[in-house]
Amino acid sequence: MTNINYICVLFSVLFFSCSDDKNNGSATNQPLDFTGFGRIEFSIDWDRSGPSFSNLIADIYDQRNERIARRDQIPNFNELKIEKVPAGADRTLVVYAAAGFGRALYRGISKGLTVETGKTTKANIQLQYFSTNLTSPLNDSIYNTDKITFKWDPIPGAVSYHVVVYSLFEKYVPTNSYTYPGPDEAAGSQQSTASEGPIKIYFFPDTGQTSTYSQNNDIKREDGDIENPVKQPTYTLMDEEGGDCSGIIPYAWNVEAIDEFGQWGVAATGSFKKECAMVRDNVTGLIWEVKTVDDSIQDTKHKYTWAGAQAYVDQLNAVNFGSSALKNKWRLPTIKELATIINSKERYPAISSLHFPNMKENYYWSATEFAANSGLDAWCVDFTRGEIYTQVKEAASLDMEPPKPRVYALAVSGGPPVDYDFEVDIEYGTIKDPYNEIMWMQASGSQQKLSWEDALIFCENLKLYSDGSDHWWVTRFTSNGLFKIYLGGEWKQQDLPSGAYPVPNYDNWRLPNRNELMSIVDYKRFNPAVNTDFFPEIQPSYYWTSTTVSDDDYTGNAWVVNMKNGSMEGLDKSDEEGKCYVLPMRDYPVQ
């Protein structure tokens, strides 16, 4: 009996032991399922004393370091998971943490993960804030032939470095410790040159627009097609004593660490900027202050009422800002002067940020009061895109207690004389602007409204005919339209008189750009805001310019001037309800 019990116990032990060994062996040797997708859940930890971040990006790589899954903009750091990860062995999870959508500030990695079909793999990521001690450039400025030298400490995990120097929108991409050239070509374009004899000064430069936007091949003379070399906007940066510092180019730099996956972010950044105090417009002769970010009275953060802006320039004069030639000569610009520094190729802000750094995308005061309500309103330029509107002189944010001023100011000095007269050519009905070397058609057929492209066609097809005793204007209103003659204040379809011939040197008419059209506005007048002794047919309404509104990727608006008051805004080129009037002009040389 005892033997039987012993045998039974021994049998039971052996049986169950073998059974357990068999089950374990089966579980151990069973092939892993890599036929579908699994998921990875992970937790993160980091040094809370480092910079904060708001965006996580998680990448999954296979054994060949090829990315096979990604999740970004992870909204909840308590639910860190990646779904639909291709199953397989030797997976690598890399997590990057960034502030918003900027470059990564932290990086963490977990290697050797196995992801099975339908199962969850867990991992912990230790995020490491990466930065480096970067030796500041040895030189404190970049001249034409200068080189910039950087050196930095190695960054753990980085297999290469991407160094970018930004200067005048140029990029240079060397690696590790490297000496690389400064922007010679860009610098050369900014150098002032000596000239012999007097320098011609104009009231306004070209708009800066160089692209064309019309889809009509018959249109050849919109703003971007016209390039007047002597009116191209150029500037000379100056120090406070009036010395030329335009050869000293501000620049910024990034050192980007790159890991084995071709990812990572900025490990060090910095900038150098020689603080030029003033900038001279080489076309208009005006000298502008350069705004600062140093908490001084010139700091770009300050906002003013209109009277406060006047007081600000009084402060500049009181502290003798600028060279000896400019002391006590700072003032608020007129609205026409302020509009000359708008660059229609730029936006946000609509100005050359290289020459006018620290400018806000907002309203800036002019000294020009609104003719219809001079006691309450004054004109401003909105440097977001370049609109010209009025603001209440006591403009303040009324939703704040106490109310705070909400318009900026930029001081100016120098410039050409502010008043000049047009010249009327009675024989042909044209108006000459000898100061700016342009000519206007006085009898514009002002009752005619056109779309933007038809307005361009109208001007480009305009010709003047004469038979020696009388003259006639001829043009057409569409690409395929018939030519019409301007007779008795109306455009009529009829033949020219026998013996009529085209008047020499009265061709090349075009639609004016925004600066040219604004030049005829008289801001002392209202409804219309022009001198009707020279322009008797001007209507108190909108007139097209040839300048397109630069607004990201949308170019469907063109600038118009409201001749009722002198304001400027963008209107839809294709809106049939928004047709506008036309005033043709042409360039002419002063003999």
Side-chain angles (χ1 to χ4, degrees), residues 235-514:
Y235 301 95
T236 299
L237 288 162
M238 301 186 295
D239 59 31
E240 191 166 340
E241 295 304 317
D244 184 358
C245 66
S246 59
I248 304 174
I249 300 172
Y251 62 91
W253 38 263
N254 291 336
V255 176
E256 301 172 3
I258 310 299
D259 64 14
E260 66 267 38
F261 306 106
Q263 305 290 324
W264 212 338
V266 175
T269 186
S271 64
F272 166 79
K273 181 172 64 175
K274 174 74 172 181
E275 292 292 349
C276 296
M278 303 174 292
V279 57
R280 181 184 187 275
D281 185 329
N282 298 323
V283 177
T284 65
L286 295 170
I287 296 174
W288 300 86
E289 65 161 323
V290 171
K291 304 306 288 188
T292 66
V293 285
D294 56 3
D295 291 325
S296 68
I297 62 171
Q298 291 177 264
D299 195 296
T300 188
K301 68 184 177 182
H302 297 308
K303 299 179 182 180
Y304 311 89
T305 62
W306 189 69
Q310 302 279 1
Y312 163 64
V313 295
D314 290 341
Q315 282 184 288
L316 284 184
N317 290 321
V319 298
N320 293 322
F321 172 68
S323 64
S324 57
L326 299 176
K327 284 178 171 45
N328 298 315
K329 293 182 179 179
W330 294 98
R331 56 184 172 82
L332 277 185
T334 67
I335 188 59
K336 286 188 176 182
E337 290 171 332
L338 189 57
T340 62
I341 59 175
I342 296 170
N343 189 311
S344 295
K345 183 172 64 176
E346 308 294 340
R347 71 272 191 199
Y348 317 134
I351 196 170
S352 171
S353 295
L354 174 68
H355 302 98
F356 296 88
N358 308 317
M359 291 287 286
K360 299 291 187 180
E361 302 165 15
N362 214 314
Y363 286 97
Y364 282 74
W365 284 119
S366 81
T368 306
E369 298 177 272
F370 185 32
N373 194 358
S374 61
L376 296 178
D377 299 337
W379 286 98
C380 296
V381 167
D382 183 356
F383 280 100
T384 304
R385 297 189 310 173
E387 284 87 351
I388 296 174
Y389 292 122
T390 61
Q391 289 284 314
V392 178
K393 288 182 176 181
E394 297 303 316
S397 300
L398 300 180
D399 57 341
M400 303 180 72
E401 190 60 42
K404 293 185 178 181
R406 56 185 174 88
V407 179
Y408 297 93
L410 185 68
V412 72
S413 183
V418 296
D419 293 318
Y420 67 96
D421 288 329
F422 296 106
E423 297 177 0
V424 179
D425 182 345
I426 299 176
E427 179 181 4
Y428 291 136
T430 60
I431 303 293
K432 292 181 180 179
D433 176 353
Y435 200 92
N436 294 297
E437 300 180 355
I438 57 179
M439 177 185 292
W440 299 93
M441 178 184 179
Q442 187 179 39
S444 62
S446 57
Q447 77 282 3
Q448 188 72 42
K449 283 187 173 183
L450 300 171
S451 68
W452 183 70
E453 288 201 347
D454 287 346
L456 289 163
I457 291 168
F458 175 93
C459 294
E460 292 182 25
N461 284 277
L462 188 64
K463 295 185 182 347
L464 179 64
Y465 285 81
S466 175
D467 64 358
S469 60
D470 205 349
H471 71 272
W472 301 270
W473 293 100
V474 177
T475 192
R476 58 182 176 182
F477 293 80
T478 62
S479 294
N480 300 318
L482 298 174
F483 281 92
K484 295 184 179 181
I485 303 175
Y486 190 62
L487 294 171
E490 295 181 5
W491 291 96
K492 299 179 180 180
Q493 188 176 323
Q494 68 179 59
D495 293 333
L496 281 166
S498 176
Y501 57 88
V503 177
N505 300 321
Y506 274 76
D507 52 3
N508 294 326
W509 294 89
R510 58 183 173 87
L511 193 64
N513 66 38
R514 58 172 286 161

Side-chain angles (χ1 to χ4, degrees), residues 489-549:
E490 295 181 5
W491 291 96
K492 299 179 180 180
Q493 188 176 323
Q494 68 179 59
D495 293 333
L496 281 166
S498 176
Y501 57 88
V503 177
N505 300 321
Y506 274 76
D507 52 3
N508 294 326
W509 294 89
R510 58 183 173 87
L511 193 64
N513 66 38
R514 58 172 286 161
N515 291 353
E516 291 163 339
L517 188 57
M518 186 181 178
S519 72
I520 72 167
V521 176
D522 186 343
Y523 284 94
K524 297 185 183 70
R525 302 172 187 264
F526 178 74
N527 197 27
V530 297
N531 187 335
T532 53
D533 291 340
F534 297 110
F535 299 97
E537 293 191 11
I538 287 290
Q539 300 296 304
S541 186
Y542 292 106
Y543 279 72
W544 285 120
T545 77
S546 63
T547 309
T548 293
V549 178

Side-chain angles (χ1 to χ4, degrees), residues 164-172 250-254 256:
V164 185
V165 174
Y166 301 92
S167 181
L168 288 177
F169 312 107
E170 298 288 338
K171 297 184 178 181
Y172 300 89
Y251 62 91
W253 38 263
N254 291 336
E256 301 172 3

